[in-house]
Amino acid sequence: MASTSNTGELDINVRRTEISDAPKILELFNSITENIFGRVNIVHLIEKSVLSITITDDQESMIGHASFYDYPNIESQDDHWEKLINTNQQLKKCTPLNTLFLHHFVALEGYAKGVAKEIFKTFFSAAPYVHYCLMSVKKDVDIGESLQELFSPTGLTLKSGKTEYKILICHRHNHCPTLHIRPAKVEDHDDLVPIFNRQSEVLKETYGDYFLAELIEAQNENNKCIVVDVKGTAVGFMSLSKNVNIDILNACFELSSFNGLKRPPENLEPENDKEKREIEAEEQIDINARPSRVTSVIPTEEHDAKKEDARHSAKGFQDIFSRPPTRGSTITIATDASDVQFKSKLADVYDDDGTSFDGSEDFSQNSESGSIRSLRSPDDMETPTQGMKGIDRAPSVPIYEGVPSVVCIQLYCIDEKYETRSIDFITAAFDSFPEIDYCIITVPHLVPEFPLLQHFTRVTPLPRSTFPQELYLFHRYGLINSIKVRNIRVEDVEAVSALVQNTYGKDMLLRDINLYNMARRDPDGTDIKAYVAVCLDQPIGVAVVRKEENVEYIRSHYNIEDFIYYNHYMREEHGHLHHFVLNPIYSHFSKYFIQEILRLSKKNSLYYPIYPSYIELNESKPHSLASCLANMVPIRARRQVEYATEELKHNAPSDRILQKMDNYMLYHINKKLVMEPKITINARIIVVGASDVGISFLEKLIFSPHMRFNNIKLISPNGLPGRLKPNALRSQLLANSYCYMQRDYDHIALQSWVSVVKGEVKAINRKSKYVVVGSETKVMYDHLILCTGCRYQYSCPSGVNVDDNITNNEICLPHRYYGPKYTNVFTLNDEFDCQNFLDWMEQNDFINSKDNICIYGSTIDAYTAVQALLEYGIQGSRIILTHPLAASPTTCFNNSLVEETVAKCLKEAGVIIHHDLILATWETDESNQAIIGASFTSDNKPVKFSCSGFICCSKLAVDHSIFKAINDSCLVYDGRLVVDSSYRTNDACIWAAGPMTKFARRYHAEAWTHANFNSKEVGLKLAETVLSILDPMLESEAPEAQPDVIPVYSQPKTICAKLPGNYLYLHTGKPSLNISLDSMMVQPNYGHVLVTGSHAVDTQGYFRLHINQYRSVETVTCLSKNPIRLDNMTALYGIHEKFLNNVLSRYKEGIISDFYQ
């Protein structure tokens, strides 16, 4: 881009202003700038602006800057300014929706005119609804030649104290004029073909040179074509058709909010609907410029073969609208797969029972309204202890009253020079079909969202839908720009109640509205602000905001300073969003609604929490599900320091920081983020497995603030982890990798953006790009992420007869168990398995029985299970710990002192221990549904004992179902799923990571796998690799392929558990191979070992600190009966001993005798 000045041309870049630009902007200040705009704090100016624009040259030198606000820079006139300026004839059409104010402008001397023009051209392109820019300056001030060319006087003067300000205006049409759109003619063919060919050759190659002319010539009442005409030349094209198969769309998408794309019967139409239909938008909407696309939606009805072909997609998709799916179609409307359950993300459509619409509802006709509503009883829902609600039957397709009222965009293209005005097409489309309510368009999942789509509402697909494209929708009423936001009134309550009738938490919302109308505050004195968005005097949205009382807690526990400069905000400027509901046909106005809430409430920052599902929302937490999550950004939780407050006393942080509160995920928005565009990714990303790697991958995607992922699904037998109410005993059954604790799951709230499919993957179809879950449910994908990890497998008896005195040396161990699954044989792999086990013990009153329980395994989870059973109240003599043959010379602790301490505690508890046994057979009861005993072989004589419970902790392996799916789909499997250094399998669309994988042999790293590293870091790096493909902002920064080098990981691998004897155990250290500690310690470069408490484990606690040759902490091992501050201990890894107050020299001098102190 070039800017012209009196000194020539200059290559420039136009972008949003960053705080780091402030020093360079200050260098452009001069006396003229100060005279016009007064003295300003440039950092404060940028931080509080709605939009700030900067122009730099190709050397990043500052050329110009401008900041825009949503109120005039006149003291005491920032609220309800529209009432003052609307008295002027030239400003009569100015509203908060279509008007912003210039608060500051500065430019490099000699380039002011060119810079001003470029800034305002960008400003009107970046602000979708703004048509006027106003400027208020002191009456006697000369604004300079550069701004005089852009602003014209209005004659209005406002007073603030003794100072008079004149109001000047700049119009959008002087910079981004509305496009002239007319019906297409055959003569436009020659102008349009080059535009199509520049963006895609598919149409020409598929349908010939004259497909466009034939399409234009075939226009009739149901099929019309319109073009953008600029000085007699066609620069844009849109083909529209009324012939839409809405039955397929209703079978595949959640269209209940839009009455199934039908117009209700006339007698049901609201009284003011006719008035709405007569209103034409006086001004048009603009949008940010992005690279243009040739986009088409498949037509709906045939004229003749050639004309039908000409209306096909540039991507070659088949005609989906025109006819129902045939036998070969990939569209799945319903399946009989009761073993598969679905749960939609919170960001999708909500029902009044608090769960997302998931397609499982029964639909019946409502005799009062004539429309269809979903009706279901709370008894039909899954209980909270069972977790997410899912589908257990085929979804029914609703039938809606009324006549179809929809037109589809079949083919669309526009020259990128005019793409910012593509919204003008929508007005012309509805003018071409005045009787139509909805305009729809479908696009392939992998096509980036272009400017036109940013005004449309994305329709949520039904869970079982395999529709091959995304559906976007625009309602005619969305063109009405006479939307106002004001304080709610008593007379609005009835209409608002109807608006929010299907919103989860509506009772709390209406309660807060009543509190506002009665007292403007809570009973405890907290101020309430309630606002309603109104269109033609009818409420279309409602929001409730309170003052944020826990700002200090939020600042200390969440990284809000990634998005705001906290010191520039007063405490009163932080608000807490409790409710936000907006009619979906006006969803493209949601950012404007938020902007007005901030302005009217005099807030600059809003926070919205999402609490875990096990926390009940009540009067102390009055929140409803907000429909504006897509516009907000998620805030990461900070790692917390665990303070010894009893020792620090008055030096400890304040109570506001240390107070204990329920964990939650925090969403945030501020003024400068309101107009920040997000990159929408519609690619279908399917993650298989809720392992630490999979959760880390999802977390990285969700916490990308500039991106919005619409199609992320997790396939897992038990859904998302962390949804059960915390239970200390359940959490002790398994050791923890410390990648994700319960608080971490609460802080990331993946259910807000991740849809869940409960089930197991049975097959992968690489050609058609779908996975089969359960019996026959298809889940389509564009990117498939396999990270199931390794899980404990059902122990497989060798089947030998122990009466024959067979020893271990004579046995050939089977690889997999194919027999029946018994009700009292358990594999504990996650919290849900542990909860099922505890429920079984409770149901069978196991604590009061005399039966034994066997734990088969020598992993650390076997020891944690023993401790959990002891805490449950089971006597040690009833617990049989059976160790199988050792697969490795090293134990799970790899520390002789820890092993000896644990063995001593097991003996004191009376736990029966057997070593080096191999399961031979199970003895079952008469029903053959449960075991009553087990037989084992050993190196000597066999062992038999009775038991009514059996826990398998012996073998970690890839589940057979996913192995079979991988093997049958011809993915390379060499003991583990083979991946390269970029986590790719031999299929470019399938990625894998975690313990289920291994590196290809060409890396010569057979001993190293992802299992040796921190799973959270592996998932993070996997996400970064995938994002380098999905995120256009990272495209140039994508790492180069390194085919012969495995990735470098730096995070420690950690394990924490509660062991027999009530010992808390923590081990964190550098990723390494499975080598015994004694072998490592004899190496010359091992470093230093610092140990305290080795002779007083019971009282003092054991602490081992390994400092490597570079004097950095490499390993930390703790074993203590006293509480261990886990966060503090794990933070020691990688710290140089000098930062620990010369711990090495002080230890050698004998100064340190107890590291816990």
PDB file of all heavy atoms in Angstrom, residues 828-844:
ATOM      1  N   LEU A 828      -9.137 -49.724  36.526  1.00  0.00           N
ATOM      2  CA  LEU A 828      -9.279 -48.334  36.965  1.00  0.00           C
ATOM      3  C   LEU A 828      -8.381 -47.448  36.114  1.00  0.00           C
ATOM      4  O   LEU A 828      -7.164 -47.444  36.268  1.00  0.00           O
ATOM      5  CB  LEU A 828      -8.911 -48.204  38.447  1.00  0.00           C
ATOM      6  CG  LEU A 828      -9.666 -49.122  39.410  1.00  0.00           C
ATOM      7  CD1 LEU A 828      -9.232 -48.848  40.844  1.00  0.00           C
ATOM      8  CD2 LEU A 828     -11.172 -48.952  39.261  1.00  0.00           C
ATOM      9  N   ASN A 829      -9.008 -46.715  35.184  1.00  0.00           N
ATOM     10  CA  ASN A 829      -8.242 -45.868  34.272  1.00  0.00           C
ATOM     11  C   ASN A 829      -8.551 -44.387  34.414  1.00  0.00           C
ATOM     12  O   ASN A 829      -7.757 -43.560  33.988  1.00  0.00           O
ATOM     13  CB  ASN A 829      -8.501 -46.298  32.823  1.00  0.00           C
ATOM     14  CG  ASN A 829      -7.860 -47.623  32.486  1.00  0.00           C
ATOM     15  OD1 ASN A 829      -6.643 -47.753  32.498  1.00  0.00           O
ATOM     16  ND2 ASN A 829      -8.688 -48.628  32.203  1.00  0.00           N
ATOM     17  N   ASP A 830      -9.701 -44.056  34.963  1.00  0.00           N
ATOM     18  CA  ASP A 830     -10.061 -42.650  35.137  1.00  0.00           C
ATOM     19  C   ASP A 830     -11.030 -42.519  36.294  1.00  0.00           C
ATOM     20  O   ASP A 830     -11.372 -43.505  36.962  1.00  0.00           O
ATOM     21  CB  ASP A 830     -10.644 -42.067  33.841  1.00  0.00           C
ATOM     22  CG  ASP A 830     -11.837 -42.875  33.325  1.00  0.00           C
ATOM     23  OD1 ASP A 830     -12.585 -43.438  34.152  1.00  0.00           O
ATOM     24  OD2 ASP A 830     -12.024 -42.951  32.099  1.00  0.00           O
ATOM     25  N   GLU A 831     -11.467 -41.295  36.534  1.00  0.00           N
ATOM     26  CA  GLU A 831     -12.325 -41.028  37.676  1.00  0.00           C
ATOM     27  C   GLU A 831     -13.670 -41.752  37.578  1.00  0.00           C
ATOM     28  O   GLU A 831     -14.274 -42.107  38.600  1.00  0.00           O
ATOM     29  CB  GLU A 831     -12.561 -39.524  37.819  1.00  0.00           C
ATOM     30  CG  GLU A 831     -13.240 -38.883  36.624  1.00  0.00           C
ATOM     31  CD  GLU A 831     -13.464 -37.400  36.817  1.00  0.00           C
ATOM     32  OE1 GLU A 831     -13.239 -36.895  37.921  1.00  0.00           O
ATOM     33  OE2 GLU A 831     -13.870 -36.748  35.845  1.00  0.00           O
ATOM     34  N   PHE A 832     -14.130 -41.984  36.363  1.00  0.00           N
ATOM     35  CA  PHE A 832     -15.408 -42.656  36.188  1.00  0.00           C
ATOM     36  C   PHE A 832     -15.295 -44.134  36.551  1.00  0.00           C
ATOM     37  O   PHE A 832     -16.198 -44.704  37.181  1.00  0.00           O
ATOM     38  CB  PHE A 832     -15.893 -42.485  34.751  1.00  0.00           C
ATOM     39  CG  PHE A 832     -16.055 -41.049  34.337  1.00  0.00           C
ATOM     40  CD1 PHE A 832     -15.061 -40.392  33.641  1.00  0.00           C
ATOM     41  CD2 PHE A 832     -17.202 -40.348  34.676  1.00  0.00           C
ATOM     42  CE1 PHE A 832     -15.197 -39.071  33.273  1.00  0.00           C
ATOM     43  CE2 PHE A 832     -17.355 -39.024  34.316  1.00  0.00           C
ATOM     44  CZ  PHE A 832     -16.343 -38.381  33.615  1.00  0.00           C
ATOM     45  N   ASP A 833     -14.190 -44.761  36.164  1.00  0.00           N
ATOM     46  CA  ASP A 833     -13.960 -46.146  36.575  1.00  0.00           C
ATOM     47  C   ASP A 833     -13.847 -46.239  38.091  1.00  0.00           C
ATOM     48  O   ASP A 833     -14.378 -47.178  38.711  1.00  0.00           O
ATOM     49  CB  ASP A 833     -12.681 -46.683  35.927  1.00  0.00           C
ATOM     50  CG  ASP A 833     -12.800 -46.808  34.417  1.00  0.00           C
ATOM     51  OD1 ASP A 833     -13.948 -46.894  33.924  1.00  0.00           O
ATOM     52  OD2 ASP A 833     -11.757 -46.816  33.735  1.00  0.00           O
ATOM     53  N   CYS A 834     -13.159 -45.276  38.683  1.00  0.00           N
ATOM     54  CA  CYS A 834     -13.006 -45.285  40.145  1.00  0.00           C
ATOM     55  C   CYS A 834     -14.350 -45.089  40.840  1.00  0.00           C
ATOM     56  O   CYS A 834     -14.630 -45.736  41.858  1.00  0.00           O
ATOM     57  CB  CYS A 834     -12.022 -44.194  40.577  1.00  0.00           C
ATOM     58  SG  CYS A 834     -10.330 -44.456  40.002  1.00  0.00           S
ATOM     59  N   GLN A 835     -15.178 -44.209  40.287  1.00  0.00           N
ATOM     60  CA  GLN A 835     -16.487 -43.984  40.883  1.00  0.00           C
ATOM     61  C   GLN A 835     -17.358 -45.231  40.765  1.00  0.00           C
ATOM     62  O   GLN A 835     -18.076 -45.585  41.701  1.00  0.00           O
ATOM     63  CB  GLN A 835     -17.188 -42.795  40.212  1.00  0.00           C
ATOM     64  CG  GLN A 835     -18.497 -42.400  40.844  1.00  0.00           C
ATOM     65  CD  GLN A 835     -18.331 -41.967  42.290  1.00  0.00           C
ATOM     66  OE1 GLN A 835     -17.493 -41.119  42.595  1.00  0.00           O
ATOM     67  NE2 GLN A 835     -19.117 -42.547  43.191  1.00  0.00           N
ATOM     68  N   ASN A 836     -17.278 -45.925  39.641  1.00  0.00           N
ATOM     69  CA  ASN A 836     -18.039 -47.167  39.478  1.00  0.00           C
ATOM     70  C   ASN A 836     -17.584 -48.214  40.496  1.00  0.00           C
ATOM     71  O   ASN A 836     -18.399 -48.970  41.033  1.00  0.00           O
ATOM     72  CB  ASN A 836     -17.867 -47.702  38.057  1.00  0.00           C
ATOM     73  CG  ASN A 836     -18.565 -46.854  37.034  1.00  0.00           C
ATOM     74  OD1 ASN A 836     -19.526 -46.141  37.356  1.00  0.00           O
ATOM     75  ND2 ASN A 836     -18.106 -46.889  35.795  1.00  0.00           N
ATOM     76  N   PHE A 837     -16.278 -48.264  40.737  1.00  0.00           N
ATOM     77  CA  PHE A 837     -15.755 -49.214  41.711  1.00  0.00           C
ATOM     78  C   PHE A 837     -16.257 -48.884  43.117  1.00  0.00           C
ATOM     79  O   PHE A 837     -16.691 -49.775  43.867  1.00  0.00           O
ATOM     80  CB  PHE A 837     -14.227 -49.200  41.668  1.00  0.00           C
ATOM     81  CG  PHE A 837     -13.568 -50.010  42.748  1.00  0.00           C
ATOM     82  CD1 PHE A 837     -13.709 -51.388  42.788  1.00  0.00           C
ATOM     83  CD2 PHE A 837     -12.823 -49.388  43.742  1.00  0.00           C
ATOM     84  CE1 PHE A 837     -13.111 -52.132  43.796  1.00  0.00           C
ATOM     85  CE2 PHE A 837     -12.221 -50.120  44.745  1.00  0.00           C
ATOM     86  CZ  PHE A 837     -12.363 -51.510  44.773  1.00  0.00           C
ATOM     87  N   LEU A 838     -16.226 -47.601  43.487  1.00  0.00           N
ATOM     88  CA  LEU A 838     -16.725 -47.203  44.812  1.00  0.00           C
ATOM     89  C   LEU A 838     -18.220 -47.468  44.932  1.00  0.00           C
ATOM     90  O   LEU A 838     -18.707 -47.883  45.997  1.00  0.00           O
ATOM     91  CB  LEU A 838     -16.426 -45.726  45.061  1.00  0.00           C
ATOM     92  CG  LEU A 838     -14.947 -45.337  45.196  1.00  0.00           C
ATOM     93  CD1 LEU A 838     -14.804 -43.837  45.383  1.00  0.00           C
ATOM     94  CD2 LEU A 838     -14.289 -46.078  46.360  1.00  0.00           C
ATOM     95  N   ASP A 839     -18.962 -47.223  43.848  1.00  0.00           N
ATOM     96  CA  ASP A 839     -20.395 -47.509  43.875  1.00  0.00           C
ATOM     97  C   ASP A 839     -20.643 -49.001  44.073  1.00  0.00           C
ATOM     98  O   ASP A 839     -21.563 -49.401  44.796  1.00  0.00           O
ATOM     99  CB  ASP A 839     -21.045 -47.038  42.568  1.00  0.00           C
ATOM    100  CG  ASP A 839     -21.047 -45.531  42.438  1.00  0.00           C
ATOM    101  OD1 ASP A 839     -20.878 -44.850  43.464  1.00  0.00           O
ATOM    102  OD2 ASP A 839     -21.215 -45.035  41.306  1.00  0.00           O
ATOM    103  N   TRP A 840     -19.824 -49.833  43.439  1.00  0.00           N
ATOM    104  CA  TRP A 840     -19.969 -51.285  43.594  1.00  0.00           C
ATOM    105  C   TRP A 840     -19.735 -51.693  45.040  1.00  0.00           C
ATOM    106  O   TRP A 840     -20.476 -52.508  45.590  1.00  0.00           O
ATOM    107  CB  TRP A 840     -18.988 -51.987  42.657  1.00  0.00           C
ATOM    108  CG  TRP A 840     -18.936 -53.474  42.853  1.00  0.00           C
ATOM    109  CD1 TRP A 840     -19.774 -54.400  42.327  1.00  0.00           C
ATOM    110  CD2 TRP A 840     -17.978 -54.200  43.649  1.00  0.00           C
ATOM    111  NE1 TRP A 840     -19.417 -55.666  42.746  1.00  0.00           N
ATOM    112  CE2 TRP A 840     -18.324 -55.573  43.554  1.00  0.00           C
ATOM    113  CE3 TRP A 840     -16.888 -53.814  44.431  1.00  0.00           C
ATOM    114  CZ2 TRP A 840     -17.583 -56.561  44.210  1.00  0.00           C
ATOM    115  CZ3 TRP A 840     -16.165 -54.788  45.088  1.00  0.00           C
ATOM    116  CH2 TRP A 840     -16.510 -56.154  44.975  1.00  0.00           C
ATOM    117  N   MET A 841     -18.698 -51.133  45.661  1.00  0.00           N
ATOM    118  CA  MET A 841     -18.432 -51.471  47.061  1.00  0.00           C
ATOM    119  C   MET A 841     -19.570 -51.001  47.960  1.00  0.00           C
ATOM    120  O   MET A 841     -19.943 -51.683  48.929  1.00  0.00           O
ATOM    121  CB  MET A 841     -17.106 -50.855  47.512  1.00  0.00           C
ATOM    122  CG  MET A 841     -15.879 -51.502  46.888  1.00  0.00           C
ATOM    123  SD  MET A 841     -14.371 -51.236  47.856  1.00  0.00           S
ATOM    124  CE  MET A 841     -14.241 -49.456  47.790  1.00  0.00           C
ATOM    125  N   GLU A 842     -20.132 -49.854  47.646  1.00  0.00           N
ATOM    126  CA  GLU A 842     -21.235 -49.332  48.455  1.00  0.00           C
ATOM    127  C   GLU A 842     -22.484 -50.201  48.301  1.00  0.00           C
ATOM    128  O   GLU A 842     -23.156 -50.531  49.285  1.00  0.00           O
ATOM    129  CB  GLU A 842     -21.537 -47.888  48.028  1.00  0.00           C
ATOM    130  CG  GLU A 842     -22.532 -47.165  48.911  1.00  0.00           C
ATOM    131  CD  GLU A 842     -21.964 -46.808  50.277  1.00  0.00           C
ATOM    132  OE1 GLU A 842     -20.729 -46.649  50.389  1.00  0.00           O
ATOM    133  OE2 GLU A 842     -22.764 -46.700  51.216  1.00  0.00           O
ATOM    134  N   GLN A 843     -22.788 -50.577  47.068  1.00  0.00           N
ATOM    135  CA  GLN A 843     -23.982 -51.380  46.811  1.00  0.00           C
ATOM    136  C   GLN A 843     -23.881 -52.767  47.443  1.00  0.00           C
ATOM    137  O   GLN A 843     -24.890 -53.335  47.872  1.00  0.00           O
ATOM    138  CB  GLN A 843     -24.205 -51.503  45.299  1.00  0.00           C
ATOM    139  CG  GLN A 843     -24.570 -50.188  44.634  1.00  0.00           C
ATOM    140  CD  GLN A 843     -24.460 -50.249  43.122  1.00  0.00           C
ATOM    141  OE1 GLN A 843     -24.216 -51.318  42.547  1.00  0.00           O
ATOM    142  NE2 GLN A 843     -24.654 -49.115  42.468  1.00  0.00           N
ATOM    143  N   ASN A 844     -22.664 -53.307  47.492  1.00  0.00           N
ATOM    144  CA  ASN A 844     -22.482 -54.647  48.036  1.00  0.00           C
ATOM    145  C   ASN A 844     -22.091 -54.634  49.513  1.00  0.00           C
ATOM    146  O   ASN A 844     -21.753 -55.695  50.060  1.00  0.00           O
ATOM    147  CB  ASN A 844     -21.418 -55.397  47.234  1.00  0.00           C
ATOM    148  CG  ASN A 844     -21.885 -55.758  45.837  1.00  0.00           C
ATOM    149  OD1 ASN A 844     -22.523 -56.782  45.609  1.00  0.00           O
ATOM    150  ND2 ASN A 844     -21.567 -54.891  44.867  1.00  0.00           N
TER     151      ASN A 844
END
